[in-house]
Amino acid sequence: MSTQSVGNQRHRVVVIGSGFGGLFGTRHLRKADVDITLISKTSTHLFQPLLYQVATGILSTGEIAPATRLVLRKQKNAQVLLGDVHDIDLVNNTVTSRLLNRDTVTPFDSLIVATGAQQSYFGNDHFATFAPGMKTIDDALELRARILGSFEQAELATTQAERDRLMTFIVVGAGPTGVELAGQIAELADRTLDGTFRTIDPRDARVILLEGAGAVLGPMGPKLGAKAAKRLEKMGVEIQLNAMVTDVDAHGVVVKDADGSTRRIEATCKVWSAGVQASPLGKMIAERSDGTEVDRAGRVIVEPDLTVKGHPNVFVVGDLMSVPGVPGQAQGAIQGSTYAAKAIKAGLKGQTPEQRAPFKYFNKGSMATISRFDAVCQIGKIEFSGFLAWLAWLALHLYYLVGYRSRIVTVIGWFVSFLGRNRGQMAATEQWVFARLAIEEVQSDQADADELAAALGAPPGNNSKPARVREQQREVG
Ligand SMILES: Cc1cc2nc3c(=O)[nH]c(=O)nc-3n(C[C@H](O)[C@H](O)[C@H](O)COP(=O)(O)OP(=O)(O)OC[C@H]3O[C@@H](n4cnc5c(N)ncnc54)[C@H](O)[C@@H]3O)c2cc1C
């Protein structure tokens, strides 16, 4: 175990997470008289709203996920550490992160926790094996390989039933991510892949959007939801509402309809975008605070100044915080972390926690694309859709994309995809489909071995069955 030491007496801020909350909080402190350590288990700042475009071959990972280290190169008061935070000590004010076998302890005076949320399968985690979520770069690449791989297999299929199963794509959850994904899979099949196979016609692909509730884009209201549904249906997407997925396996899903009856849909490629669960660090912080609780999704019910009870120096922001009226969106994370950074700066000037004004969220609206040139947009009470909404979506996403180069390359990618039929990022490998499951297997072997070792009284960490993998980890580490 190593301890991060800071060689001077400046106020130490630790930021956990390099998403919207982590990065914007860190950048807001760039001129402050503090030393910042940003710790994240991913080495990039991921722009999640465009993940679906990586999954469907429009953008590359580099365009939506610049290396955090490069983004913060010029911010001399910030250091970036790669590591999975697994312990937060609110008594001694330290954070412990792990990279491979190495634990690093980083002390803090102020802490901003922005570790976001992950996919929720509502207690059915085994669904993930066959229906990956859409939260990480790995998810997007895996999905791209699954989508394109399904078409490749369909070209070789020997029976109609097999071909139909391979050319049916199921998206579970009709929120913005589900809507955007369904639209893009349909466009991929109809425009980009059209004419590229000889046995199958990609335009025959079925894209099915399953939603457990009664509407598409529920939180955006009935008018925009109906517009989005109409446009999707025009593109050939089959929308099935009040359809609860009760089981998922390699070859399909089981759906329970509103009348209680169940049916099965055969489909090889499934994607899950139906729910989120907060990062487990939320529960840990709440349990170690002086009475803070988490909500049903595991988000921390923070104080009005976004801190936890008894620890006015510990801020929880972004998708990990639970604040009434603040949605799990980029704006919530950016505004929350900016508020925390301002509170830290004010503290340096003598402001006490009691003097802090409560956090106020300013709702800048929400939007979702449906297809090229078509989106729905809600800003306050104003709702609009179509090309104008799509232009607004385009401008906003470009504005928030981090990095000058990312913006230019992204515009070129959009130009190629939206004006022409081609997509520039159609590479996919078998490894992308299987890597997640292989890693999970290795990790479960590790957990088994650690459990056995603990039962025998040995410390965990070096008892894994796949010794070859651990050997390699040691070499890399
Ligand atoms: C597919 C998709 C589409 C979306 N579309 C939109 C949209 O159109 N508009 C919109 O406003 N919002 C959208 N969102 C939501 C938006 O992306 C989130 O609200 C926002 O990213 C939350 O920011 P955050 O900083 O709280 O968390 P995140 O951005 O998720 O960042 C979490 C960070 O914490 C790190 N981390 C997690 N656990 C640990 C740990 N134990 N140790 C160290 N680091 C850790 C992660 O690596 C990551 O860097 C979308 C989300 C998804 C998934």
Side-chain angles (χ1 to χ4, degrees), residues 51-52 54-56 133-134 136-145:
L51 268 176
Y52 77 97
V54 172
T56 51
M134 264 298 268
T136 64
I137 292 176
D138 288 333
D139 291 339
L141 291 179
E142 179 180 342
L143 185 60
R144 189 198 293 173

Side-chain angles (χ1 to χ4, degrees), residues 49-60 63-64 180-181 183-188 190-192 231 235 368-375 386-387 389-395 397-398 401 407-426:
L50 289 175
L51 268 176
Y52 77 97
Q53 296 203 359
V54 172
T56 51
I58 297 172
L59 297 178
S60 76
E63 280 142 47
I64 67 160
E180 290 173 334
L181 255 176
Q184 278 313 313
I185 296 173
E187 268 193 358
L188 177 72
D190 281 351
R191 287 172 54 80
T192 309
R231 175 73 190 130
M235 294 164 69
T369 45
I370 302 155
S371 63
R372 64 196 190 111
F373 310 140
D374 207 338
F387 187 60
W390 187 78
L391 283 182
W393 170 90
L394 197 86
H397 282 68
L398 275 182
L401 258 190
R407 287 194 190 111
I408 292 178
V409 181
T410 302
V411 167
I412 295 171
W414 284 347
F415 194 76
V416 169
S417 307
F418 298 144
L419 293 183
R421 286 168 65 189
N422 283 336
R423 298 190 173 195
Q425 304 297 331
M426 296 289 280

Side-chain angles (χ1 to χ4, degrees), residues 16-22 39-42 48-49 83-85 114-116 134-135 177 281 318-319 328-330 333 397:
I16 312 178
S18 56
F20 284 102
I39 308 172
S40 183
K41 66 178 180 184
T42 45
Q48 287 177 341
D84 189 341
V85 171
T115 48
M134 264 298 268
K135 280 280 172 193
T177 303
L281 288 185
D319 282 3
Q329 288 186 345
H397 282 68

